[in-house]
Amino acid sequence: MKEKIIEKANDMFLNLGFKSVTMDDLASEMGISKKTIYAHFQNKTKLVEATTDHLFCTVSDGIDAILEENKEPIEELYAIKAFVMHHLKGEKTSPQYQLQKYYPKIHSSLKVRQFDTMQECVIDNLERGIRTGVFRDNIDVETISRLYFMGMTGIKDQEMFPIHTFPVAKLMTDYLEYHVRGIATEKGLKILNNLLKQP
């Protein structure tokens, strides 16, 4: 039952927002009593903590599976972006922003975990890109990996990028292209341009 509650809460939080969904909404949606939810989660904060942890692990496992496919580095970045967008339901409700605003402690600890995981994956991607000649060999891998992380988290700031003006899917696509164009060699740009032509 605990797993079912986490999965349904995760779905509702991503579609409607962390703030909007109440324990009553969740109980009603699942056809169970609120008491059943409270038997597993002391309060809504504990539920938010469990769902964000569950989503983080799901996304991390999915990214690991993509990494194991040993794709060409630029293709790999696009495959990861597509996977993440699918799992975050297109981020219609800006879950990261709501998490930061209403559950700052959970957001901070999640950001640290995201950074540690992403840093390793991005550094590996950059190093392979340099070795295979798709990224310039004069880039500072440590700096670029951090700039990439800051950009990826920065574009989720609703004050800078209001969702009605900057749809998340387009913003992520534009940012990824910006990142790759900044570090790609001619060989890399050919791969990027081919990827961008795909529907």
Side-chain angles (χ1 to χ4, degrees):
M1 180 49 88
K2 189 174 185 178
E3 278 299 307
K4 282 184 178 166
I5 294 170
I6 288 175
E7 279 173 25
K8 178 47 83 177
N10 185 45
D11 198 45
M12 290 178 77
F13 286 149
L14 288 177
N15 282 309
L16 306 166
F18 286 105
K19 179 84 168 84
S20 320
V21 178
T22 64
M23 295 300 234
D24 282 315
D25 296 333
L26 181 59
S28 151
E29 185 72 22
M30 291 187 75
I32 59 175
S33 71
K34 238 175 18 171
K35 199 173 164 188
T36 308
I37 299 173
Y38 284 116
H40 296 283
F41 303 98
Q42 199 181 336
N43 51 42
K44 187 178 169 187
T45 303
K46 292 287 179 201
L47 178 61
V48 168
E49 211 164 27
T51 53
T52 51
D53 182 61
H54 170 75
L55 185 62
F56 176 82
C57 293
T58 305
V59 170
S60 294
D61 291 347
I63 290 173
D64 286 344
I66 292 170
L67 298 179
E68 279 168 23
E69 291 173 24
N70 279 321
K71 292 180 183 289
E72 182 284 320
I74 297 172
E75 282 177 13
E76 182 179 272
L77 288 172
Y78 276 83
I80 289 171
K81 178 193 72 94
F83 173 80
V84 170
M85 285 306 293
H86 171 73
H87 271 277
L88 296 182
K89 318 276 183 203
E91 299 201 55
K92 291 186 285 286
T93 58
S94 334
Q96 291 260 32
Y97 181 70
Q98 285 205 5
L99 198 61
Q100 183 175 10
K101 194 169 180 183
Y102 302 108
Y103 300 94
K105 274 189 177 162
I106 298 173
H107 178 266
S108 297
S109 79
L110 187 65
K111 193 171 175 180
V112 170
R113 288 173 74 192
Q114 283 176 327
F115 176 71
D116 291 341
T117 306
M118 205 168 146
Q119 190 69 344
E120 196 178 316
C121 150
V122 174
I123 285 175
D124 175 67
N125 180 276
L126 291 168
E127 287 173 344
R128 277 189 305 113
I130 291 168
R131 279 199 307 275
T132 55
V134 296
F135 297 149
R136 290 182 285 110
D137 60 7
N138 62 344
I139 61 170
D140 183 323
V141 170
E142 193 65 39
T143 303
I144 299 294
S145 67
R146 285 166 186 262
L147 282 172
Y148 183 66
F149 179 78
M150 289 306 291
M152 270 303 191
T153 50
I155 60 174
K156 291 176 180 167
D157 182 336
Q158 282 288 283
E159 277 150 26
M160 287 302 290
F161 298 101
I163 207 155
H164 53 275
T165 315
F166 301 94
V168 178
K170 184 176 185 319
L171 198 52
M172 275 186 84
T173 302
D174 289 349
Y175 178 69
L176 187 51
E177 182 183 347
Y178 173 79
H179 165 71
V180 174
R181 284 196 186 281
I183 60 176
T185 58
E186 269 188 53
K187 180 182 173 182
L189 288 174
K190 277 181 192 160
I191 294 167
L192 174 67
N193 289 331
N194 284 332
L195 280 170
L196 293 175
K197 280 178 201 157
Q198 292 171 15

